[in-house]
Amino acid sequence: MNQPHHPVHPGHDHPPGPLADASVRLARVSDAPAIGFVQAVVFREAYAAELAPEVIAEFQPQAFATAWRTTLQGAAADDGVLLVACAGEQVVGLAAVGASSDPDADDRTAELLVLAVHPEARRQGHGSRLLHAVVDTARARGRDRLTAWALASAEEVRGFLVAAGLDTDGAHRERVVGRDGESAEEVRLSASLEAA
């Protein structure tokens, strides 16, 4: 099915709002379809050079939306917080932050679990606003360190995180991203959240 060029996700027939209407807020259960759509688009783009087309085809909006709906309804929320970036009322990006599950992390380490902005909404400050909100959320929960895993091949993403103050810390991992065990190499970035 062909999507019209302007709308960032189905169900909205207006272009993204002006920058003055840009905001970040806590995600709502009703945001799940839009969040799923944005994540599917971003993940297909991010993993296109890493995975076979049939694996990429598995990144469906409905699957992501269902997982986020479950999380937002509280069944899997745990310590995590899901934030959305909006242009007007339209969800154009998402970020999730929670406790790090890395073996070398302590209970004061937060992890940026996902940060995604729809390609048509990039370079408008949404990613920076989301990252600032992640840092504020982590600090409010008593965390003093933030980590993030990024695809080793995603130079633009790593560049964005480094410019925001995170640095690669030497940790690497293979992340399983496909049903049949397909994996992609990731590198970890981290930063102190303590005031200088």
Side-chain angles (χ1 to χ4, degrees), residues 11 23 55 73-74 85 109 175:
S23 63
V55 178
Q73 288 171 335
T109 304
R175 181 177 185 177

Side-chain angles (χ1 to χ4, degrees), residues 42-53 56 59 151:
V42 171
F43 274 38
R44 285 177 188 165
E45 175 190 67
Y47 288 100
E50 300 285 325
L51 302 172
I56 297 295
F59 294 157
L151 281 171

Side-chain angles (χ1 to χ4, degrees), residues 2-178:
N2 289 333
Q3 294 292 328
H5 176 71
H6 236 351
V8 173
H9 57 81
H12 288 266
D13 57 1
H14 54 81
L19 194 57
D21 288 343
S23 63
V24 171
R25 62 169 171 76
L26 288 172
R28 305 173 188 131
V29 174
S30 61
D31 294 325
I35 293 167
F37 181 80
V38 171
Q39 188 170 4
V41 169
V42 171
F43 274 38
R44 285 177 188 165
E45 175 190 67
Y47 288 100
E50 300 285 325
L51 302 172
E54 58 271 20
V55 178
I56 297 295
E58 294 177 11
F59 294 157
Q60 292 296 320
Q62 185 58 46
F64 288 120
T66 299
W68 285 120
R69 186 177 293 108
T70 299
T71 298
L72 290 166
Q73 288 171 335
D78 195 25
D79 181 58
V81 174
L82 178 61
L83 303 160
V84 291
C86 298
E89 292 299 312
Q90 188 173 12
V91 172
V92 296
L94 65 137
V97 60
S100 173
S101 60
D102 292 342
D104 60 347
D106 60 26
D107 61 0
R108 295 184 59 79
T109 304
E111 182 177 337
L112 174 61
L113 303 166
V114 63
L115 176 65
V117 176
H118 191 282
E120 292 181 14
R122 292 184 187 151
R123 306 216 184 291
Q124 298 174 31
H126 297 297
S128 295
R129 278 186 290 279
L130 283 166
L131 192 53
H132 280 89
V134 162
V135 168
D136 289 346
T137 300
R139 284 180 174 147
R141 284 173 159 59
R143 307 293 195 257
D144 60 16
R145 184 151 206 77
L146 179 68
T147 62
W149 288 95
L151 281 171
S153 61
E155 293 180 17
E156 189 174 344
V157 172
R158 284 200 329 274
F160 170 77
L161 293 172
V162 167
L166 287 87
D167 263 318
T168 53
D169 62 15
H172 295 260
R173 71 180 181 188
E174 287 291 322
R175 181 177 185 177
V176 175
V177 291

Side-chain angles (χ1 to χ4, degrees), residues 169-193:
D169 62 15
H172 295 260
R173 71 180 181 188
E174 287 291 322
R175 181 177 185 177
V176 175
V177 291
R179 211 179 285 176
D180 296 324
E182 298 89 350
S183 65
E185 184 185 0
E186 293 183 324
V187 296
R188 190 175 67 187
L189 298 92
S190 60
S192 171
L193 300 181

